[in-house]
Amino acid sequence: MTTTLRPTEPLQQNADGTRSRRYQVCVNSRPVGAIHLGTHPVFGDAVARIMKLRIDEPDRRRGRGTVAALAAEEVARGWGCRRIEATVPAESTAGFRLATTLGYVVRNRGMEKRLGDTPPDLPEGSRARPMTDAEFGPWLEKGKEDYARSWAERGVPEAEARAKSERDHATLLPDGLATPGMLISVVEHLGTPVGTLWLAVREDNAFVFDVEADASRRGRGHGRTLMLLAEAQTIAEGRRTLGLNVFTGNTPAERLYASLGYETTRYAVYKPL
């Protein structure tokens, strides 16, 4: 039997500058599923992404998805792409197994926690305060550098990683500390700054964009304190869901989030072409 992709629309040139196209997955010309392939809105035409891949239930577990994903890679190569990416929901064990079997690498994962109604207390001796203007500049420059390095270490060319870091920070913090919906805090322990937290308050939830304990004071529970602060601020803002992103390989952070009850919601995977 032969599995092929059959276009169901012309190549689309989208308003955000990306290209995309939908295909039927066919076995001997019989439709058995669908795939939606496009280029990346952030990294441009050099990076493809599988936006949707579905195999109909009667044809699952027969290798149709594997062949369809490989065919999508060939299409992406024809577009001139050097990398392909996808997001896999955590509940899709078959999708995750397919991605890893085909050589996709997990770059990062989204995590989430449902909160109660009572804000947690910070440990004795710890207190939080807003970041000052004098602290903001150095914090921002370090954050840009660390963020770019995290992407560069996980398959993104350095120039692209730096451009993404500059763009993301400029988009998220156009007014610096005064940007609406952004809470940037410093945690002190016994009067000494020990870490920083960047929390975004959204319409229905909150999201931790950055959390970092001071390098010289790690291993003393300050990371946990910072995350307790994130929960307290989220509840105080009337939200009950707190999300975050963690890069693969950041084992201390992964262990901390798991111990606090965060659950994985999605995996971001990539593969060089």
Side-chain angles (χ1 to χ4, degrees), residues 3-182:
T3 301
T4 57
L5 301 186
R6 177 190 297 163
T8 59
E9 65 178 357
L11 182 64
Q12 303 295 302
Q13 300 290 341
N14 303 309
D16 61 359
T18 61
R19 292 179 288 167
S20 65
R21 201 171 194 182
R22 289 178 170 85
Y23 301 83
Q24 281 184 331
V25 181
C26 298
V27 174
N28 292 345
S29 299
R30 177 176 61 87
V32 298
I35 189 167
H36 190 192
L37 183 68
T39 53
H40 205 285
V42 174
F43 296 120
D45 284 346
V47 180
R49 57 176 180 155
I50 297 176
M51 294 180 281
K52 182 178 181 180
L53 173 57
R54 188 199 79 249
I55 301 298
D56 299 335
E57 180 59 40
D59 282 273
R60 293 177 184 172
R61 294 170 291 280
R62 299 185 183 184
R64 316 294 198 215
T66 299
V67 178
L70 290 172
E73 292 179 17
E74 288 304 309
V75 173
R77 289 188 182 95
W79 288 355
C81 297
R82 300 190 303 269
R83 188 171 76 246
I84 189 165
E85 304 194 352
T87 299
V88 183
E91 64 269 19
S92 178
T93 55
F96 186 76
R97 184 169 57 250
L98 170 63
T100 54
T101 298
L102 291 175
Y104 285 77
V105 177
V106 177
R107 175 185 289 132
N108 53 281
R109 54 180 166 140
M111 304 186 78
E112 195 171 270
K113 180 180 180 178
R114 289 289 300 170
L115 306 177
D117 296 329
T118 304
D121 294 324
L122 301 189
E124 184 176 353
S126 296
R127 62 178 288 269
R129 61 169 174 80
M131 181 174 286
T132 65
D133 289 334
E135 293 168 325
F136 178 73
W139 170 84
L140 180 62
E141 291 308 309
K142 184 178 185 302
K144 289 180 182 179
E145 184 67 26
D146 291 348
Y147 186 63
R149 184 171 60 252
S150 293
W151 285 92
E153 289 173 349
R154 295 166 178 86
V156 177
E158 184 174 352
E160 292 183 24
R162 290 188 177 279
K164 175 175 173 56
S165 180
E166 289 289 339
R167 182 171 54 248
D168 286 358
H169 283 83
T171 300
L172 292 168
L173 294 171
D175 299 318
L177 290 173
T179 302
M182 298 297 180

Side-chain angles (χ1 to χ4, degrees), residues 92-267:
S92 178
T93 55
F96 186 76
R97 184 169 57 250
L98 170 63
T100 54
T101 298
L102 291 175
Y104 285 77
V105 177
V106 177
R107 175 185 289 132
N108 53 281
R109 54 180 166 140
M111 304 186 78
E112 195 171 270
K113 180 180 180 178
R114 289 289 300 170
L115 306 177
D117 296 329
T118 304
D121 294 324
L122 301 189
E124 184 176 353
S126 296
R127 62 178 288 269
R129 61 169 174 80
M131 181 174 286
T132 65
D133 289 334
E135 293 168 325
F136 178 73
W139 170 84
L140 180 62
E141 291 308 309
K142 184 178 185 302
K144 289 180 182 179
E145 184 67 26
D146 291 348
Y147 186 63
R149 184 171 60 252
S150 293
W151 285 92
E153 289 173 349
R154 295 166 178 86
V156 177
E158 184 174 352
E160 292 183 24
R162 290 188 177 279
K164 175 175 173 56
S165 180
E166 289 289 339
R167 182 171 54 248
D168 286 358
H169 283 83
T171 300
L172 292 168
L173 294 171
D175 299 318
L177 290 173
T179 302
M182 298 297 180
L183 303 177
I184 304 178
S185 308
V186 175
V187 164
E188 296 179 348
H189 183 69
L190 301 179
T192 299
V194 295
T196 55
L197 170 70
W198 174 11
L199 183 76
V201 180
R202 298 169 168 175
E203 184 176 348
D204 298 320
N205 58 23
F207 191 88
V208 175
F209 273 116
D210 186 69
V211 57
E212 184 175 22
D214 187 279
S216 65
R217 294 177 173 82
R218 289 175 184 165
R220 304 181 190 181
H222 299 314
R224 181 176 292 271
T225 300
L226 288 160
M227 291 307 300
L228 292 177
L229 173 61
E231 294 184 17
Q233 290 180 338
T234 299
I235 294 170
E237 292 290 335
R239 313 304 192 265
R240 292 297 180 269
T241 303
L242 180 57
L244 55 84
N245 169 76
V246 59
F247 283 103
T248 299
N250 190 349
T251 304
E254 292 176 320
R255 289 174 177 168
L256 172 62
Y257 302 146
S259 72
L260 288 169
Y262 287 81
E263 297 182 348
T264 300
T265 57
R266 66 192 181 280
Y267 297 92

